[in-house]
Amino acid sequence: METIRPLLISLVLVLNGVEILGEDGVLVLDYYKETCPLAEEIVSRNVEIAVLRDPRMAASLLRLHFHDCFVMGCDASVLLDNYGDIVSEKQAVPNLNSLRGFEVIDGIKYLLEEACPLTVSCADILAMAARDAVASRGGRRWEVWLGRKDSIKASFDGANQFIPAPNSSLESLIASFKEQGLDIEDLVALSGSHTFGKARCSSFRQRVYDINIEEKYDRYKRYRAFRRSLQSICPDSGRDNAIAPLDFETPAKFDNRYYINLLEGKGLLGSDNVLVTEDHEGEIRELVWAFASNQELFLTSFADSVVKMGNINVLTGIEGEIRKNCRFVNP
């Protein structure tokens, strides 16, 4: 049965529109079983340590994987520093002074190079670390398909163009995800990553001070207390780097509270709230209700969508390389 299980998983993913790529272009389970048998354990243990030291790091590591995959694919281009002709994606507007966790990835890569030189790619480390980060905060632990290679270039322009902005409209979010081969269910499920972590004032100021019609005529003052709490953190000018939890109720736990918050008008980012306020046909609101009322459904859907996202434009076989240092291409 154990030998059949990976084949069944692969069939399910293919039927759901997920392209599984490994050697000769196919990602596989247990890719490092022979070449670096302790790879997943090394990643898992060090993510656990990093999150114990800084609980916010769990969300940061998941976000690294997301920001990597949405620019040229899941190829660790987001980890490259400025060097030679490379202009780092870290300098792009969505990432500058915002992305965290690079030192954690560096530490994991160092240990993997000690154990198995030039074997485990930085792109695979990001995928495994995202899984372990979610699991460390109560989320589901999914099986990661491995065998990605690392890009030898970065895309500063791509990072500015393809990573959704915190004030995105619903229409632009749907278009952005569609560009990556992700559908509406993926959009709603992956938005649930905002169930933990924090955001800077500059990311949610517009949401705080632009009052929509529903709130303007809110005779029962359902939104006023929440708005005032946000205003106390984020004034209409200054304090751009002040931070607030994406989920005020269970900020360090990976659960379905994010969707309950949306239904209560308490999403932190503009791009969160539009899932409900701009869904005129009701399809997305229906998914939000489903995830809000069934945590297991959300956790399963999230895991499926992350696996799907993790297969965006991956490099395999003779494409790319295995970087010795995740910050630089090999000499």
Side-chain angles (χ1 to χ4, degrees), residues 85-121:
D85 295 332
I86 292 175
V87 179
S88 176
E89 294 171 17
K90 298 174 185 178
Q91 307 301 312
V93 172
N95 299 334
L96 186 62
N97 299 322
S98 177
L99 281 188
R100 306 168 69 245
F102 298 109
E103 294 79 8
V104 174
I105 301 300
D106 289 340
I108 292 171
K109 180 60 171 173
Y110 175 82
L111 293 173
L112 287 169
E113 285 300 306
E114 289 283 300
C116 323
L118 291 174
T119 301
V120 182
S121 70

mmCIF file of all heavy atoms in Angstrom, residues 85-121:
data_model
loop_
_atom_site.group_PDB
_atom_site.id
_atom_site.type_symbol
_atom_site.label_atom_id
_atom_site.label_comp_id
_atom_site.label_asym_id
_atom_site.label_seq_id
_atom_site.Cartn_x
_atom_site.Cartn_y
_atom_site.Cartn_z
ATOM 1 N N ASP A 85 25.198 41.564 -12.306
ATOM 2 C CA ASP A 85 24.045 42.050 -13.073
ATOM 3 C C ASP A 85 22.708 41.794 -12.373
ATOM 4 O O ASP A 85 21.659 42.202 -12.872
ATOM 5 C CB ASP A 85 24.018 41.384 -14.455
ATOM 6 C CG ASP A 85 25.212 41.784 -15.309
ATOM 7 O OD1 ASP A 85 25.735 42.896 -15.098
ATOM 8 O OD2 ASP A 85 25.610 40.980 -16.175
ATOM 9 N N ILE A 86 22.750 41.121 -11.231
ATOM 10 C CA ILE A 86 21.504 40.766 -10.542
ATOM 11 C C ILE A 86 21.026 41.918 -9.665
ATOM 12 O O ILE A 86 21.761 42.414 -8.813
ATOM 13 C CB ILE A 86 21.697 39.498 -9.677
ATOM 14 C CG1 ILE A 86 21.919 38.286 -10.582
ATOM 15 C CG2 ILE A 86 20.490 39.279 -8.756
ATOM 16 C CD1 ILE A 86 22.235 37.005 -9.839
ATOM 17 N N VAL A 87 19.792 42.345 -9.902
ATOM 18 C CA VAL A 87 19.130 43.323 -9.034
ATOM 19 C C VAL A 87 18.150 42.534 -8.173
ATOM 20 O O VAL A 87 17.208 41.927 -8.668
ATOM 21 C CB VAL A 87 18.381 44.394 -9.844
ATOM 22 C CG1 VAL A 87 17.695 45.385 -8.898
ATOM 23 C CG2 VAL A 87 19.339 45.123 -10.778
ATOM 24 N N SER A 88 18.384 42.533 -6.883
ATOM 25 C CA SER A 88 17.644 41.666 -5.972
ATOM 26 C C SER A 88 16.147 41.993 -5.916
ATOM 27 O O SER A 88 15.744 43.165 -5.876
ATOM 28 C CB SER A 88 18.232 41.771 -4.568
ATOM 29 O OG SER A 88 17.479 41.001 -3.652
ATOM 30 N N GLU A 89 15.331 40.954 -5.864
ATOM 31 C CA GLU A 89 13.895 41.123 -5.651
ATOM 32 C C GLU A 89 13.602 41.669 -4.250
ATOM 33 O O GLU A 89 12.505 42.187 -3.991
ATOM 34 C CB GLU A 89 13.176 39.789 -5.857
ATOM 35 C CG GLU A 89 13.228 39.286 -7.293
ATOM 36 C CD GLU A 89 12.712 37.862 -7.459
ATOM 37 O OE1 GLU A 89 12.008 37.376 -6.535
ATOM 38 O OE2 GLU A 89 13.015 37.227 -8.484
ATOM 39 N N LYS A 90 14.575 41.548 -3.369
ATOM 40 C CA LYS A 90 14.396 42.058 -2.009
ATOM 41 C C LYS A 90 14.218 43.571 -1.990
ATOM 42 O O LYS A 90 13.669 44.116 -1.030
ATOM 43 C CB LYS A 90 15.605 41.685 -1.144
ATOM 44 C CG LYS A 90 15.835 40.193 -0.981
ATOM 45 C CD LYS A 90 17.131 39.906 -0.233
ATOM 46 C CE LYS A 90 17.434 38.422 -0.172
ATOM 47 N NZ LYS A 90 18.715 38.130 0.518
ATOM 48 N N GLN A 91 14.662 44.241 -3.053
ATOM 49 C CA GLN A 91 14.569 45.698 -3.124
ATOM 50 C C GLN A 91 13.241 46.168 -3.718
ATOM 51 O O GLN A 91 12.951 47.370 -3.731
ATOM 52 C CB GLN A 91 15.719 46.250 -3.983
ATOM 53 C CG GLN A 91 17.106 45.779 -3.548
ATOM 54 C CD GLN A 91 17.407 46.163 -2.115
ATOM 55 O OE1 GLN A 91 17.215 47.303 -1.717
ATOM 56 N NE2 GLN A 91 17.888 45.202 -1.334
ATOM 57 N N ALA A 92 12.431 45.244 -4.220
ATOM 58 C CA ALA A 92 11.145 45.607 -4.821
ATOM 59 C C ALA A 92 10.179 46.100 -3.746
ATOM 60 O O ALA A 92 10.293 45.730 -2.572
ATOM 61 C CB ALA A 92 10.558 44.413 -5.564
ATOM 62 N N VAL A 93 9.228 46.913 -4.154
ATOM 63 C CA VAL A 93 8.289 47.541 -3.206
ATOM 64 C C VAL A 93 7.580 46.538 -2.308
ATOM 65 O O VAL A 93 7.491 46.756 -1.088
ATOM 66 C CB VAL A 93 7.264 48.405 -3.975
ATOM 67 C CG1 VAL A 93 6.171 48.912 -3.029
ATOM 68 C CG2 VAL A 93 7.961 49.585 -4.652
ATOM 69 N N PRO A 94 7.068 45.408 -2.812
ATOM 70 C CA PRO A 94 6.352 44.486 -1.925
ATOM 71 C C PRO A 94 7.258 43.804 -0.898
ATOM 72 O O PRO A 94 6.760 43.248 0.090
ATOM 73 C CB PRO A 94 5.770 43.445 -2.889
ATOM 74 C CG PRO A 94 5.817 44.082 -4.229
ATOM 75 C CD PRO A 94 7.019 44.962 -4.207
ATOM 76 N N ASN A 95 8.577 43.833 -1.130
ATOM 77 C CA ASN A 95 9.512 43.081 -0.291
ATOM 78 C C ASN A 95 10.400 43.942 0.609
ATOM 79 O O ASN A 95 10.826 43.500 1.674
ATOM 80 C CB ASN A 95 10.425 42.220 -1.174
ATOM 81 C CG ASN A 95 9.654 41.214 -2.002
ATOM 82 O OD1 ASN A 95 8.558 40.796 -1.640
ATOM 83 N ND2 ASN A 95 10.221 40.828 -3.135
ATOM 84 N N LEU A 96 10.672 45.162 0.188
ATOM 85 C CA LEU A 96 11.641 46.005 0.884
ATOM 86 C C LEU A 96 11.197 46.301 2.315
ATOM 87 O O LEU A 96 10.079 46.748 2.551
ATOM 88 C CB LEU A 96 11.825 47.319 0.113
ATOM 89 C CG LEU A 96 12.906 48.268 0.632
ATOM 90 C CD1 LEU A 96 14.286 47.622 0.553
ATOM 91 C CD2 LEU A 96 12.892 49.578 -0.158
ATOM 92 N N ASN A 97 12.091 46.023 3.259
ATOM 93 C CA ASN A 97 11.806 46.236 4.686
ATOM 94 C C ASN A 97 10.555 45.492 5.140
ATOM 95 O O ASN A 97 9.896 45.889 6.102
ATOM 96 C CB ASN A 97 11.647 47.730 4.994
ATOM 97 C CG ASN A 97 12.894 48.530 4.696
ATOM 98 O OD1 ASN A 97 14.002 48.057 4.939
ATOM 99 N ND2 ASN A 97 12.722 49.720 4.143
ATOM 100 N N SER A 98 10.246 44.419 4.436
ATOM 101 C CA SER A 98 9.013 43.689 4.721
ATOM 102 C C SER A 98 9.257 42.183 4.826
ATOM 103 O O SER A 98 8.851 41.565 5.804
ATOM 104 C CB SER A 98 7.981 43.976 3.627
ATOM 105 O OG SER A 98 6.807 43.252 3.819
ATOM 106 N N LEU A 99 9.908 41.597 3.836
ATOM 107 C CA LEU A 99 10.206 40.167 3.901
ATOM 108 C C LEU A 99 11.208 39.879 5.010
ATOM 109 O O LEU A 99 12.156 40.632 5.220
ATOM 110 C CB LEU A 99 10.774 39.673 2.568
ATOM 111 C CG LEU A 99 9.792 39.409 1.426
ATOM 112 C CD1 LEU A 99 10.521 38.749 0.267
ATOM 113 C CD2 LEU A 99 8.622 38.550 1.874
ATOM 114 N N ARG A 100 10.991 38.795 5.713
ATOM 115 C CA ARG A 100 11.866 38.369 6.799
ATOM 116 C C ARG A 100 12.175 36.880 6.645
ATOM 117 O O ARG A 100 11.558 36.196 5.855
ATOM 118 C CB ARG A 100 11.185 38.594 8.160
ATOM 119 C CG ARG A 100 10.690 39.981 8.407
ATOM 120 C CD ARG A 100 9.772 40.046 9.627
ATOM 121 N NE ARG A 100 10.465 39.833 10.894
ATOM 122 C CZ ARG A 100 10.262 38.796 11.696
ATOM 123 N NH1 ARG A 100 9.390 37.841 11.372
ATOM 124 N NH2 ARG A 100 10.916 38.693 12.840
ATOM 125 N N GLY A 101 13.138 36.400 7.413
ATOM 126 C CA GLY A 101 13.422 34.979 7.461
ATOM 127 C C GLY A 101 14.616 34.530 6.655
ATOM 128 O O GLY A 101 14.942 33.339 6.621
ATOM 129 N N PHE A 102 15.290 35.480 6.009
ATOM 130 C CA PHE A 102 16.436 35.105 5.171
ATOM 131 C C PHE A 102 17.537 34.419 5.983
ATOM 132 O O PHE A 102 18.165 33.465 5.519
ATOM 133 C CB PHE A 102 16.998 36.340 4.456
ATOM 134 C CG PHE A 102 16.023 36.992 3.527
ATOM 135 C CD1 PHE A 102 15.465 38.229 3.828
ATOM 136 C CD2 PHE A 102 15.634 36.377 2.344
ATOM 137 C CE1 PHE A 102 14.560 38.841 2.976
ATOM 138 C CE2 PHE A 102 14.727 36.971 1.480
ATOM 139 C CZ PHE A 102 14.183 38.204 1.799
ATOM 140 N N GLU A 103 17.760 34.906 7.201
ATOM 141 C CA GLU A 103 18.816 34.324 8.042
ATOM 142 C C GLU A 103 18.467 32.893 8.448
ATOM 143 O O GLU A 103 19.353 32.047 8.588
ATOM 144 C CB GLU A 103 19.049 35.180 9.290
ATOM 145 C CG GLU A 103 19.614 36.569 9.001
ATOM 146 C CD GLU A 103 18.560 37.555 8.521
ATOM 147 O OE1 GLU A 103 17.346 37.203 8.551
ATOM 148 O OE2 GLU A 103 18.936 38.662 8.110
ATOM 149 N N VAL A 104 17.187 32.627 8.635
ATOM 150 C CA VAL A 104 16.760 31.264 8.970
ATOM 151 C C VAL A 104 17.061 30.323 7.800
ATOM 152 O O VAL A 104 17.594 29.219 7.993
ATOM 153 C CB VAL A 104 15.255 31.224 9.308
ATOM 154 C CG1 VAL A 104 14.782 29.783 9.515
ATOM 155 C CG2 VAL A 104 14.967 32.064 10.545
ATOM 156 N N ILE A 105 16.735 30.755 6.593
ATOM 157 C CA ILE A 105 17.036 29.947 5.405
ATOM 158 C C ILE A 105 18.544 29.766 5.247
ATOM 159 O O ILE A 105 19.015 28.666 4.920
ATOM 160 C CB ILE A 105 16.442 30.599 4.138
ATOM 161 C CG1 ILE A 105 14.919 30.756 4.267
ATOM 162 C CG2 ILE A 105 16.791 29.770 2.904
ATOM 163 C CD1 ILE A 105 14.162 29.457 4.470
ATOM 164 N N ASP A 106 19.313 30.823 5.510
ATOM 165 C CA ASP A 106 20.774 30.721 5.438
ATOM 166 C C ASP A 106 21.291 29.650 6.394
ATOM 167 O O ASP A 106 22.171 28.853 6.040
ATOM 168 C CB ASP A 106 21.425 32.059 5.804
ATOM 169 C CG ASP A 106 21.228 33.140 4.753
ATOM 170 O OD1 ASP A 106 20.927 32.799 3.593
ATOM 171 O OD2 ASP A 106 21.380 34.330 5.095
ATOM 172 N N GLY A 107 20.757 29.653 7.620
ATOM 173 C CA GLY A 107 21.199 28.684 8.626
ATOM 174 C C GLY A 107 20.869 27.259 8.222
ATOM 175 O O GLY A 107 21.689 26.339 8.399
ATOM 176 N N ILE A 108 19.675 27.057 7.682
ATOM 177 C CA ILE A 108 19.277 25.722 7.225
ATOM 178 C C ILE A 108 20.162 25.277 6.069
ATOM 179 O O ILE A 108 20.626 24.130 6.026
ATOM 180 C CB ILE A 108 17.799 25.725 6.809
ATOM 181 C CG1 ILE A 108 16.900 25.935 8.030
ATOM 182 C CG2 ILE A 108 17.435 24.426 6.088
ATOM 183 C CD1 ILE A 108 15.441 26.165 7.689
ATOM 184 N N LYS A 109 20.419 26.188 5.138
ATOM 185 C CA LYS A 109 21.259 25.846 3.986
ATOM 186 C C LYS A 109 22.667 25.472 4.435
ATOM 187 O O LYS A 109 23.266 24.516 3.905
ATOM 188 C CB LYS A 109 21.306 27.031 3.016
ATOM 189 C CG LYS A 109 22.165 26.796 1.771
ATOM 190 C CD LYS A 109 21.666 25.621 0.934
ATOM 191 C CE LYS A 109 22.400 25.549 -0.406
ATOM 192 N NZ LYS A 109 22.054 24.325 -1.163
ATOM 193 N N TYR A 110 23.204 26.188 5.408
ATOM 194 C CA TYR A 110 24.550 25.882 5.922
ATOM 195 C C TYR A 110 24.605 24.445 6.451
ATOM 196 O O TYR A 110 25.536 23.689 6.142
ATOM 197 C CB TYR A 110 24.923 26.872 7.026
ATOM 198 C CG TYR A 110 26.235 26.559 7.701
ATOM 199 C CD1 TYR A 110 27.449 26.949 7.132
ATOM 200 C CD2 TYR A 110 26.264 25.842 8.892
ATOM 201 C CE1 TYR A 110 28.658 26.639 7.741
ATOM 202 C CE2 TYR A 110 27.463 25.523 9.511
ATOM 203 C CZ TYR A 110 28.659 25.921 8.934
ATOM 204 O OH TYR A 110 29.856 25.599 9.545
ATOM 205 N N LEU A 111 23.614 24.064 7.233
ATOM 206 C CA LEU A 111 23.590 22.720 7.807
ATOM 207 C C LEU A 111 23.422 21.661 6.725
ATOM 208 O O LEU A 111 24.033 20.584 6.798
ATOM 209 C CB LEU A 111 22.462 22.613 8.831
ATOM 210 C CG LEU A 111 22.639 23.460 10.098
ATOM 211 C CD1 LEU A 111 21.376 23.398 10.956
ATOM 212 C CD2 LEU A 111 23.854 22.996 10.903
ATOM 213 N N LEU A 112 22.609 21.950 5.724
ATOM 214 C CA LEU A 112 22.419 20.999 4.637
ATOM 215 C C LEU A 112 23.675 20.850 3.786
ATOM 216 O O LEU A 112 23.986 19.744 3.306
ATOM 217 C CB LEU A 112 21.233 21.426 3.762
ATOM 218 C CG LEU A 112 19.855 21.223 4.400
ATOM 219 C CD1 LEU A 112 18.774 21.906 3.573
ATOM 220 C CD2 LEU A 112 19.543 19.727 4.545
ATOM 221 N N GLU A 113 24.397 21.940 3.606
ATOM 222 C CA GLU A 113 25.663 21.854 2.869
ATOM 223 C C GLU A 113 26.702 21.043 3.642
ATOM 224 O O GLU A 113 27.516 20.333 3.046
ATOM 225 C CB GLU A 113 26.197 23.254 2.558
ATOM 226 C CG GLU A 113 25.455 23.977 1.443
ATOM 227 C CD GLU A 113 25.520 23.226 0.128
ATOM 228 O OE1 GLU A 113 26.631 22.896 -0.326
ATOM 229 O OE2 GLU A 113 24.442 22.947 -0.440
ATOM 230 N N GLU A 114 26.663 21.148 4.960
ATOM 231 C CA GLU A 114 27.559 20.333 5.787
ATOM 232 C C GLU A 114 27.217 18.851 5.652
ATOM 233 O O GLU A 114 28.107 18.002 5.589
ATOM 234 C CB GLU A 114 27.429 20.756 7.261
ATOM 235 C CG GLU A 114 28.012 22.116 7.583
ATOM 236 C CD GLU A 114 29.530 22.076 7.675
ATOM 237 O OE1 GLU A 114 30.046 21.329 8.533
ATOM 238 O OE2 GLU A 114 30.195 22.770 6.881
ATOM 239 N N ALA A 115 25.921 18.552 5.626
ATOM 240 C CA ALA A 115 25.480 17.154 5.571
ATOM 241 C C ALA A 115 25.531 16.579 4.160
ATOM 242 O O ALA A 115 25.940 15.421 3.972
ATOM 243 C CB ALA A 115 24.056 17.046 6.124
ATOM 244 N N CYS A 116 25.134 17.369 3.173
ATOM 245 C CA CYS A 116 24.993 16.891 1.791
ATOM 246 C C CYS A 116 25.352 18.016 0.833
ATOM 247 O O CYS A 116 24.455 18.723 0.341
ATOM 248 C CB CYS A 116 23.563 16.434 1.511
ATOM 249 S SG CYS A 116 22.726 15.604 2.871
ATOM 250 N N PRO A 117 26.617 18.220 0.545
ATOM 251 C CA PRO A 117 27.034 19.355 -0.291
ATOM 252 C C PRO A 117 26.375 19.368 -1.666
ATOM 253 O O PRO A 117 26.251 18.332 -2.320
ATOM 254 C CB PRO A 117 28.558 19.156 -0.404
ATOM 255 C CG PRO A 117 28.928 18.301 0.768
ATOM 256 C CD PRO A 117 27.751 17.408 0.999
ATOM 257 N N LEU A 118 25.930 20.563 -2.060
ATOM 258 C CA LEU A 118 25.367 20.796 -3.392
ATOM 259 C C LEU A 118 24.304 19.771 -3.780
ATOM 260 O O LEU A 118 24.292 19.241 -4.886
ATOM 261 C CB LEU A 118 26.489 20.817 -4.438
ATOM 262 C CG LEU A 118 27.451 22.012 -4.365
ATOM 263 C CD1 LEU A 118 28.588 21.848 -5.352
ATOM 264 C CD2 LEU A 118 26.701 23.325 -4.612
ATOM 265 N N THR A 119 23.403 19.518 -2.839
ATOM 266 C CA THR A 119 22.369 18.505 -3.067
ATOM 267 C C THR A 119 20.958 19.061 -2.944
ATOM 268 O O THR A 119 20.109 18.820 -3.803
ATOM 269 C CB THR A 119 22.545 17.330 -2.079
ATOM 270 O OG1 THR A 119 23.840 16.750 -2.246
ATOM 271 C CG2 THR A 119 21.475 16.266 -2.294
ATOM 272 N N VAL A 120 20.702 19.818 -1.872
ATOM 273 C CA VAL A 120 19.350 20.315 -1.600
ATOM 274 C C VAL A 120 19.238 21.763 -2.082
ATOM 275 O O VAL A 120 20.011 22.630 -1.669
ATOM 276 C CB VAL A 120 19.010 20.239 -0.108
ATOM 277 C CG1 VAL A 120 17.570 20.715 0.137
ATOM 278 C CG2 VAL A 120 19.192 18.813 0.415
ATOM 279 N N SER A 121 18.280 22.017 -2.948
ATOM 280 C CA SER A 121 18.133 23.355 -3.518
ATOM 281 C C SER A 121 17.502 24.324 -2.524
ATOM 282 O O SER A 121 16.760 23.930 -1.617
ATOM 283 C CB SER A 121 17.266 23.309 -4.780
ATOM 284 O OG SER A 121 15.915 23.032 -4.452
#
